[in-house]
């Protein structure tokens, strides 16, 4: 394993550029959990950097062995250099670069597709959390539409706890295009609205469904609400008027899971 001692090393610069999103084909993984998830998902990992003081840790040694078997370019570096390669304030014992999973064509592949469409959800932590709860609830995929944060950015990847490496996720520039695509795949469009919709627990979510989840602040646009086959509202005790986008997605997805069970 080669050693890196300078923060100006070309490999460190590559990690920084991937963290900035300079190459949308690549994503940055910080921590043993995400690196292991990427290996288990069968993703190609071109590079990894290990903390010099963690090389002999049993869990890291096992991970390094698996990376070596996959012919990953491995390097070790002292903590200050590793911190320069990672966008986190406190980097983990290992950081890696992985090729982005190419699963977007499988978003609607399930017989009864269940697909949350995050519309203009700008917080990457929320986007990552929606991906995670979508996988947990048994959704067939997830779409990040409009001004939503990149689900493959490092913050969203961490927020998803690795789910984005396994669940089919598609990025669509225009939410209306996502709606059109969902209809073409036989989905009913169900929009979430803070008020005025059918109560969530009375809605029919058993068939193929695409769930529109609005972003922070304004929620779904009037045009998207009009394009939906049905609007659903989560009952809330006053004076609460709305819920976090990821919480909304979780409640609706798990109601769909309950009905389908």
């Amino acid at each position: 394993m080669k050693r890196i001692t300078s923060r100006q090393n070309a490999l460190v610069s590559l990690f920084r550029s991937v963290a900035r999103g300079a190459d949308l084909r690549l994503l940055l993984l910080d921590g043993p959990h995400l690196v292991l998830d990427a290996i288990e998902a069968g993703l190609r990992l071109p590079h990894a950097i290990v903390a010099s003081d963690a090389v002999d840790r049993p869990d890291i040694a096992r991970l390094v062995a698996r990376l070596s078997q996959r012919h990953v370019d491995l390097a070790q570096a002292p903590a200050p250099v590793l911190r320069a390669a990672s966008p986190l304030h406190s980097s983990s014992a290992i950081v890696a670069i992985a090729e982005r999973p190419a699963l977007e064509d499988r978003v609607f592949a399930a017989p009864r597709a269940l697909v949350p469409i995050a519309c203009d959800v700008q917080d990457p932590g929320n986007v990552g959390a929606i991906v995670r709860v979508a996988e947990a609830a048994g959704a067939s995929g997830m779409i990040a539409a409009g001004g939503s944060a990149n689900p493959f950015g490092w913050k969203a990847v961490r927020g998803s706890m690795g789910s984005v490496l396994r669940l089919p996720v598609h990025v669509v520039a225009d939410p209306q295009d996502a709606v059109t695509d969902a209809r073409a795949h036989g989905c009913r469009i169900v929009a979430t609205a803070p008020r005025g919709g059918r109560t969530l627990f009375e809605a029919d979510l058993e068939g193929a469904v695409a769930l529109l989840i609005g972003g922070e602040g304004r929620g779904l646009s009037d045009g998207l609400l009009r394009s939906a086959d049905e609007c659903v509202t989560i009952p809330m005790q006053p004076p609460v008027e709305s819920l976090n986008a990821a919480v909304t997605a979780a409640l609706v997805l798990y109601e769909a899971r309950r009905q389908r069970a």
Side-chain angles (χ1 to χ4, degrees), residues 59-103:
D59 61 327
I60 299 300
R62 287 192 296 270
L63 200 51
V64 166
R66 294 192 65 176
L67 291 169
S68 296
Q69 291 171 359
R70 296 171 65 87
H71 307 292
V72 175
D73 177 47
L74 286 164
Q76 61 174 286
V81 176
L82 196 62
R83 282 196 296 270
S86 170
L88 272 69
H89 292 300
S90 252
S91 62
S92 303
I94 184 169
V95 293
I97 292 172
E99 291 186 354
R100 174 174 153 174
L103 303 172

Side-chain angles (χ1 to χ4, degrees), residues 59 65 113 127 160 171 179 186 199 250 255:
D59 61 327
V127 170
S160 81
V171 178
V179 169
T199 300
E255 173 58 16

